[in-house]
Amino acid sequence: MSDVLYGDILKQISTGGFGAGERLPSEKEFGERFGVSRPIVREALERLRAEGVIRSRQGAGSFVADGAPGIEVAEIPVLANSDNAPPQISSIVAIQKFYTYRISLEGELAFAAAQNCQPADIQRIGGLLQTIKSSASISSHGIEEDLEYHEAIAQATHNEFFIAAWAASRAHIRFLIELARNLSTLHSPNHSAVVRSSHEPIFECIRDGDAEGARSRMREHITRSQERVFLGKWT
């Protein structure tokens, strides 16, 4: 996430959003503006400082350096080390917006799945849940298994419009899952097990026909992923 923020700030500097010699917002202000934790802001600023793009004044904050290295906007690595990022996800703001969309979409998918699922759907979702929870999925962080699980819930709605909406969002959802899993692996070795277990309450609500519960558990599941990425809540 510091790479993403680095790209956002660098783009603003390169396009004149922050001019030469101008004081940058504080770490707290950047954190509030982009919805990320201060350690993420600090890491992005340290990278910009090391590259000579910004400089610090004791007690005054960070400023855009005079004669900062010229960088074309097209060269800015807005999502560094994220070759699989869909083109629409090119900034922190875009990631935040997609999380908001995903929380709404998949909450309603879970609600509809609980209302309309068939025995075969329950069997498939339950089988995928066991795969997610198994040790076999740990080495790959269970990303593909996670995707299949959420796709099965979409298909359990038996609503072609819901299914099409999820399919159109598949690449974006995969990117978010991969981002959250990679970050959680770095920060908490045991966190993957917690993430895998959070799928179970969703399945139980769908299996039991508890539509409101399914919606709530799904929204909570994705919201916690968002909090891990942006706020560093790894526990």
Side-chain angles (χ1 to χ4, degrees), residues 4 19 22 24 47-49 52 70 74 80 108 119 129 154 163 187 215:
V4 180
E22 182 176 346
L24 295 177
R47 180 176 174 184
L48 290 166
R49 194 172 296 113
E108 296 311 308
L129 174 64
I163 294 170
H187 288 270
R215 174 197 279 152

Side-chain angles (χ1 to χ4, degrees), residues 100 102-108 110 202 213-225:
T100 299
R102 187 185 175 200
I103 290 167
S104 297
L105 172 65
E106 295 213 62
E108 296 311 308
I202 302 169
R215 174 197 279 152
S216 178
R217 297 290 82 75
M218 179 65 82
R219 289 174 66 93
E220 180 181 357
H221 170 67
I222 300 171
T223 296
R224 287 186 174 178
S225 172

